[in-house]
Amino acid sequence: MRTIAIGELLLANGHITAEQLEVALHTQKAHPGHLGEILVGLDFMTAHELARVVALQRKLPFVDLSISVPQKKALQAVPRELALYNTVLPLRISRGRLTVVTDDPAKSELAELLQEAAKLKVTFAVGERSQIAKSIELHYFEMENPINSRIAALVADAAAKREVDIESFLELLIQSAIKDRATDIHIRPQALASHVFYRVDGLLHHYYAFPSHIHRNVVSRCKILSEVDITQQRIPQEGGFAFHYLHQDYDIRLALIPTSLGENMALRILPKAEELYHLERLGFDLAQAESLERCLHKRSGIVLIVGPSGGGKTTTLFSALRRANILQRNVVTVEDPIEYQLSLVQQTNVNEIAGYTFDESLSHLVRQDADIIVIGEIRDQGTAMAAVRSALSGHLVLSTMTANDVQGALARLMDFGVKSYMLSFGLLAVLYQQLLRRLCDSCKRPVKVSRQELLARGFDSEALAAIASKVVTLYEAAGCEHCQQTGYRGRIAIAELVEMNDELRALLDKGKIVVETAALLKRGEGTIRHDAQEKVLTGVTSLEEVLRVLS
């Protein structure tokens, strides 16, 4: 009965279509299980969406554990084994009541069991099962085995010239980076010590320093794991290795360059199983999501997602692809590497050593009876021309490109040899995006700012049109233990979507690229700056963060 209720609720709220529900029910007969989990497994919806619907069904609050961190005292109130066995995360204690996050609040006797263990009254909130399990492992492990203390002990041993377990030291550095959501680790040799930086939410932060005399040993350990030449120290080298931590697999990519003080090492951390997202959760407003979905229902043309390196373009690409009707259209991809696994999509990986490049692959994909072709990235002339030709021959092409704005993307395509008339006929839309750091919900604080000050600091008058008062309440970063004292936790997209129209096609036919982005958009309301300012006014991010990214 409960499974049917969830299906009906998902259907009624527009999370799935009747056709998707039918496919899921057929799958359930072949592979018995909860309907919600099957729908997530088929990528018809995300675990995040499912958890929100369960919360709605049970009339309970939803907690996003990617931005919420449990209190230490809440964790101490419930034994780790009990939390693991029941997949529940003690979140916080307030006014003598313990809030516990679960994916299934209907479990019989669960509240009674937790109340007996914690000696507190228990209330439930709903979260994603995978996030709950990961958070249990991560936060209980850190509470019982603090990584910072273990790294500090090894650094002290090295400083005292005692023997250091380099294998454990490197492993702890990577574990610490994963714990703090870092995407990159930089280990830089200097005269007095070697320094460890993590890139978290797009910014580098200094974390550790260790004695210079063990730097070569740390580099050598990485070389051995990556199977690169351990004797070579005078030329750049690249490699990679697998890493496993708290039931999750990661690919670690190594890049080395020689410096005057030793080899500088950069490690990119790539989860092997990336989570798919809903466009609105990434930060896109309803109008942007609907415009993008409209483009995805076209039979042919190119939809291009552009922005800086590391700006979340691939995440947006696959989140958008979920809005295409994959059940009625054959979707094939060529990627380097495959970052997101999407059910019912045929995904291929570039192999340049074997001669299987983006350019080469496209000539084969069109013979796969493809309706939609996804190209991981357009980065050279051959791929650009092949993508445009595929679009002009009746395929819908989705891809990404590194560019600083919409005009930069058009200019780069022309530099690749794509004629302006080909863009006029083939281009459907260009989505330009960047990422802003999201204010930490645990510590952000309100601040009063006058309208005049906002205007002086670059705010558009249109963005303030709906605000009647002369003083506006914004939020600023404070800093707490949950956000490593930065005031920010996680990132959110800001974007502008330019759909092709007759005016733009006429300009492209003449070989012209519009200089001002605002001229491409209706009254400037869809510019990336306007989007950023809306997120400041709603307390999602700070004015300082917007000025940092867009100035």
Side-chain angles (χ1 to χ4, degrees):
M1 179 65 72
R2 176 177 173 274
T3 298
I4 296 173
I6 279 286
E8 291 175 352
L9 193 56
L10 291 170
L11 193 60
N13 283 275
H15 289 290
I16 58 172
T17 65
E19 187 177 13
Q20 288 173 331
L21 179 58
E22 184 180 1
V23 171
L25 291 171
H26 288 163
T27 305
Q28 190 179 40
K29 293 176 182 178
H31 184 82
H34 290 296
L35 182 61
E37 293 175 1
I38 290 171
L39 286 163
V40 172
L42 289 168
D43 293 320
F44 292 160
M45 64 184 307
T46 66
H48 180 92
E49 293 164 348
L50 176 62
R52 279 194 174 277
V53 171
V54 172
L56 178 65
Q57 183 192 43
R58 299 294 177 182
K59 297 181 181 179
L60 291 172
F62 171 81
V63 176
D64 185 350
L65 290 175
S66 67
I67 57 177
S68 297
V69 179
Q71 295 175 342
K72 187 175 181 179
K73 63 180 180 180
L75 295 171
Q76 292 171 335
V78 177
R80 177 175 178 271
E81 293 73 19
L82 179 60
L84 270 174
Y85 182 78
N86 292 283
T87 319
V88 294
L89 179 72
L91 185 66
R92 59 178 171 266
I93 297 175
S94 178
R95 299 178 181 178
R97 189 175 291 272
L98 174 66
T99 299
V100 176
V101 185
T102 177
D103 71 312
D104 187 3
K107 285 182 180 176
S108 60
E109 301 179 354
L110 182 57
E112 184 179 337
L113 188 65
L114 290 167
Q115 285 175 179
E116 183 179 343
K119 309 303 181 190
L120 293 165
K121 290 185 177 180
V122 171
T123 58
F124 286 119
V126 178
E128 296 177 42
R129 184 177 182 83
S130 61
Q131 278 193 350
I132 294 169
K134 183 179 178 180
S135 294
I136 293 168
E137 291 280 5
L138 177 62
H139 295 294
Y140 275 101
F141 182 83
E142 174 62 16
M143 186 172 67
E144 298 164 2
N145 305 275
I147 293 175
N148 288 347
S149 300
R150 296 163 69 193
I151 290 175
L154 290 173
V155 170
D157 286 342
K161 300 297 177 71
R162 292 190 289 268
E163 186 176 350
V164 174
D165 185 343
I166 298 297
E167 183 177 339
S168 294
F169 183 59
L170 177 62
E171 190 171 278
L172 285 169
L173 290 179
I174 298 174
Q175 289 176 355
S176 174
I178 294 171
K179 173 180 72 71
D180 287 349
R181 303 173 297 104
T183 55
D184 301 85
I185 304 171
H186 294 260
I187 301 180
R188 301 175 179 174
Q190 297 293 304
L192 299 179
S194 289
H195 296 267
V196 180
F197 292 81
Y198 294 163
R199 187 175 295 280
V200 181
D201 294 334
L203 292 183
L204 280 178
H205 300 274
H206 185 276
Y207 267 70
Y208 309 104
F210 61 86
S212 298
H213 71 269
I214 68 169
H215 180 87
R216 181 177 292 184
N217 295 337
V218 175
V219 173
S220 294
R221 176 59 186 164
C222 277
K223 287 182 174 180
I224 290 169
L225 290 171
S226 303
E227 298 182 348
V228 302
D229 189 348
I230 194 172
T231 64
Q232 183 57 260
Q233 300 174 19
R234 297 182 179 180
I235 61 171
Q237 294 193 83
E238 295 183 1
F241 57 94
F243 191 80
H244 184 80
Y245 180 50
L246 297 180
H247 305 294
Q248 188 162 0
D249 293 318
Y250 299 85
D251 282 326
I252 310 295
R253 292 188 181 179
L254 168 69
L256 294 163
I257 58 168
T259 73
S260 59
L261 295 171
E263 290 179 276
N264 192 85
M265 184 162 64
L267 299 171
R268 170 65 56 88
I269 302 171
L270 297 170
K272 279 194 173 181
E274 286 278 14
E275 181 186 358
L276 287 167
Y277 291 92
H278 194 281
L279 283 172
E280 282 85 345
R281 187 184 176 195
L282 293 177
F284 298 97
D285 62 35
L286 184 60
Q288 291 169 334
E290 288 177 346
S291 295
L292 199 52
E293 185 170 2
R294 187 165 55 248
C295 293
L296 294 176
H297 283 86
K298 302 278 186 172
R299 293 180 59 84
S300 64
I302 298 177
V303 177
L304 203 56
I305 299 170
V306 306
S309 296
K313 298 185 295 295
T314 302
T315 301
T316 299
L317 175 67
F318 277 88
S319 297
L321 186 59
R322 291 181 58 242
R323 294 197 172 230
N325 190 348
I326 294 174
L327 290 176
Q328 294 182 357
R329 305 171 83 180
N330 185 27
V331 182
V332 293
T333 80
V334 54
E335 306 166 61
D336 182 24
I338 294 174
E339 295 183 37
Y340 296 89
Q341 294 285 349
L342 194 58
S343 294
L344 305 176
V345 171
Q346 317 312 310
Q347 297 178 254
T348 63
N349 209 115
V350 165
N351 187 340
E352 294 194 358
I353 295 176
Y356 190 63
T357 63
F358 281 113
D359 184 12
E360 172 68 20
S361 65
L362 287 175
S363 62
H364 297 284
L365 294 187
V366 295
R367 291 194 287 271
Q368 287 289 316
D369 188 29
D371 297 298
I372 301 175
I373 297 174
V374 179
I375 304 169
E377 183 180 5
I378 293 176
R379 58 177 71 150
D380 55 44
Q381 181 176 8
T383 307
M385 293 301 296
V388 173
R389 291 192 187 103
S390 297
L392 294 175
S393 62
H395 301 88
L396 180 64
V397 178
L398 313 180
S399 190
T400 71
M401 179 187 288
T402 301
N404 290 326
D405 52 29
V406 173
Q407 292 83 351
L410 298 177
R412 196 169 180 213
L413 285 171
M414 290 182 182
D415 284 342
F416 284 150
V418 179
K419 301 299 183 183
S420 58
Y421 72 85
M422 298 174 77
L423 284 178
S424 173
F425 280 107
L427 196 61
L428 291 176
V430 181
L431 175 73
Y432 167 55
Q433 72 173 61
Q434 291 204 52
L435 296 178
L436 293 176
R437 290 182 297 169
R438 182 195 293 269
L439 283 167
C440 175
D441 286 335
S442 298
C443 65
K444 66 180 182 182
R445 59 190 175 208
V447 57
K448 301 289 186 181
V449 183
S450 70
R451 291 171 64 94
Q452 288 302 116
E453 183 180 349
L454 287 176
L455 291 170
R457 298 184 72 178
F459 243 77
D460 298 331
S461 57
E462 292 87 354
L464 299 173
I467 300 175
S469 61
K470 293 182 179 181
V471 177
V472 182
T473 299
L474 306 181
Y475 287 84
E476 63 180 8
C480 66
E481 61 178 343
H482 299 312
C483 59
Q484 306 299 315
Q485 304 302 325
T486 64
Y488 298 92
R489 184 174 176 84
R491 289 192 287 177
I492 193 165
I494 51 173
E496 62 186 35
L497 178 64
V498 178
E499 285 189 78
M500 292 299 294
N501 54 34
D502 292 341
E503 179 186 356
L504 294 177
R505 290 191 178 91
L507 289 168
L508 283 173
D509 282 338
K510 297 174 183 177
K512 295 181 179 180
I513 298 175
V514 181
V515 176
E516 292 294 330
T517 302
L520 302 177
L521 303 153
K522 294 179 180 178
R523 300 183 302 280
E525 292 178 3
T527 63
I528 195 168
R529 184 172 296 277
H530 182 88
D531 191 15
Q533 291 171 357
E534 284 292 322
K535 288 178 171 61
V536 171
L537 293 173
T538 53
V540 175
T541 191
S542 67
L543 179 58
E544 288 69 27
E545 175 67 2
V546 170
L547 293 174
R548 180 187 72 83
V549 172
L550 295 183
S551 295

